[in-house]
């Protein structure tokens, strides 16, 4: 489920291949790195290596264009997405540590609130990736951290649809007894869809992705269809700790 979900996210990014302040060489370098990232999104043989190569290119661009935050943002994205293609869970944390390094470099720059908002969304994604290593022990730590990043992103830019949508997704995949569930998630995701429709990029190459992916999440929530992790989740108030076969749970695990 986690791989198919993030494959959908990969295919729905719709990132614009343009630039903000850099010159033509910067633009061309970013286009080449983005093209390599896009090949990783659809690769079925060795996507991790392709994400790694793309991340390396973004890193080189960032080191050369010291005033640009976007190369580090996209390098962090590469690492954040490659972990969903990894079979060896021991490699997940080191990759996400690298993602955090790049995102923190960008956050150390002088940025506008809407730029910081996008970086905080990505920091939240990193926390979500860490959960999948051991959901049973990590969810209670990294789940709230992820939600905190998304909320901070919303506070910095209330019009950021990605920040709001990830907040909705977190609610969707959080058990009802812990404050989540579909009933709480759906209105947030619907609000995010409205903001996606109204979204206008503030400048070239600014992150512009996610609408189709989160539309799928919203439709899933409205369908009432059980996710695989929900099959094993105990119902709230079940004294035996076993799922009630006659009623579908309201929330579930991590993406």
């Amino acid at each position: 489920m986690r791989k198919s979900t993030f494959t959908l996210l990969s295919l729905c990014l719709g990132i614009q291949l343009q630039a903000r302040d850099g010159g033509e060489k910067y633009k061309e370098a970013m286009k080449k790195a983005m093209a390599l990232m896009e090949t990783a999104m659809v690769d079925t043989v060795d996507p991790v290596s392709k994400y790694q190569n793309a991340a390396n290119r973004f890193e080189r661009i960032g080191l050369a264009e010291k005033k640009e935050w976007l190369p580090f943002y996209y390098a962090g994205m590469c690492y954040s997405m490659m972990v969903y293609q990894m079979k060896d869970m021991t490699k997940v944390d080191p990759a996400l540590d690298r993602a955090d390094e790049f995102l923190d470099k960008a956050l150390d720059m002088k940025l506008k609130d809407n730029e910081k908002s996008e970086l905080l969304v990505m920091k939240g994604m990193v926390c979500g990736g860490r959960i999948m290593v051991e959901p049973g022990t990590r969810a209670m730590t990294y789940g709230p951290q992820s939600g905190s990043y998304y909320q901070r992103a919303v506070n910095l830019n209330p019009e950021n649809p990605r920040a709001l949508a990830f907040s909705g997704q977190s609610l969707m995949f959080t058990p009802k007894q812990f404050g989540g569930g579909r009933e709480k998630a759906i209105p947030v995701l619907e609000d995010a869809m409205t903001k996606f429709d109204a979204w206008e990029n503030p400048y070239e190459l600014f992150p512009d992705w996610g609408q189709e992916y989160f539309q799928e999440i919203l439709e899933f929530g409205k369908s009432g269809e059980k996710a695989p992790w929900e099959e094993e989740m105990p119902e709230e108030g079940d004294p035996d700790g076993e799922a009630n076969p006659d009623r579908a749970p309201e929330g579930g695990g991590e993406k």
Side-chain angles (χ1 to χ4, degrees):
M1 180 69 180
R2 63 182 178 85
K3 288 189 177 181
S4 61
T5 298
F6 252 71
T7 298
L8 175 60
L9 172 58
S10 299
L11 293 173
C12 295
L13 285 175
I15 301 167
Q16 296 183 0
L17 305 180
Q18 301 166 333
R20 176 180 61 160
D21 297 324
E24 289 301 315
K25 289 184 178 180
Y26 170 74
K27 290 171 63 175
E28 290 304 313
M30 289 292 286
K31 287 180 181 181
K32 289 178 180 179
M34 195 66 70
L36 185 57
M37 183 178 176
E38 288 178 344
T39 64
M41 293 174 183
V42 297
D43 187 271
T44 58
V45 178
D46 189 11
V48 173
S49 292
K50 287 186 172 61
Y51 276 123
Q52 183 66 68
N53 291 338
N56 292 342
R57 290 197 184 192
F58 284 122
E59 180 180 15
R60 290 195 293 270
I61 297 169
L63 293 174
E65 300 286 344
K66 299 184 184 300
K67 294 182 179 180
E68 297 290 345
W69 67 280
L70 286 167
F72 293 130
Y73 170 88
Y74 288 120
M77 176 180 276
C78 286
Y79 281 105
S80 297
M81 296 184 69
M82 75 166 67
V83 299
Y84 290 91
Q85 304 298 330
M86 290 178 171
K87 297 179 180 179
D88 184 352
M89 291 293 100
T90 66
K91 296 182 178 180
V92 170
D93 280 328
L96 294 175
D97 288 344
R98 288 289 285 157
D100 270 332
E101 289 176 17
F102 288 120
L103 297 172
D104 289 342
K105 280 185 179 180
L107 284 166
D108 284 340
M109 298 178 182
K110 292 183 179 180
L111 302 174
K112 297 178 180 179
D113 283 350
N114 62 345
E115 297 165 338
K116 291 179 182 177
S117 178
E118 299 293 344
L119 288 162
L120 291 175
V121 168
M122 199 59 58
K123 292 279 287 186
M125 287 178 62
V126 170
C127 290
R130 293 190 191 277
I131 293 174
M132 73 177 183
V133 175
E134 184 53 61
T137 59
R138 291 190 170 197
M140 294 301 291
T141 297
Y142 289 111
Q145 286 185 23
S146 178
S148 176
Y149 279 123
Y150 298 142
Q151 186 57 56
R152 288 168 60 191
V154 171
N155 292 343
L156 284 171
N157 182 15
E159 302 308 311
N160 183 348
R162 282 161 292 283
L164 198 59
F166 271 110
S167 295
Q169 178 178 266
S170 293
L171 288 170
M172 182 76 71
F173 299 144
T174 297
K176 187 175 182 179
Q177 58 267 38
F178 295 119
R182 297 169 190 250
E183 291 182 359
K184 290 186 177 181
I186 287 172
V188 178
L189 288 167
E190 288 177 333
D191 191 9
M193 289 303 107
T194 300
K195 294 185 184 302
F196 270 118
D197 289 337
W199 177 258
E200 293 184 7
N201 265 22
Y203 54 78
E204 297 173 333
L205 201 89
F206 196 93
D208 181 19
W209 57 270
Q211 184 168 9
E212 293 181 31
Y213 166 70
F214 287 110
Q215 183 64 46
E216 292 283 345
I217 296 294
L218 176 59
E219 291 173 3
F220 167 76
K222 289 182 174 181
S223 73
E225 177 186 356
K226 274 189 178 181
W229 58 80
E230 292 177 306
E231 298 289 343
E232 301 176 357
M233 177 168 293
E235 283 292 340
E236 184 177 7
D238 182 354
D240 298 323
E242 297 179 356
N244 182 342
D246 299 323
R247 183 161 58 93
E250 297 293 336
E254 178 64 18
K255 62 181 182 296

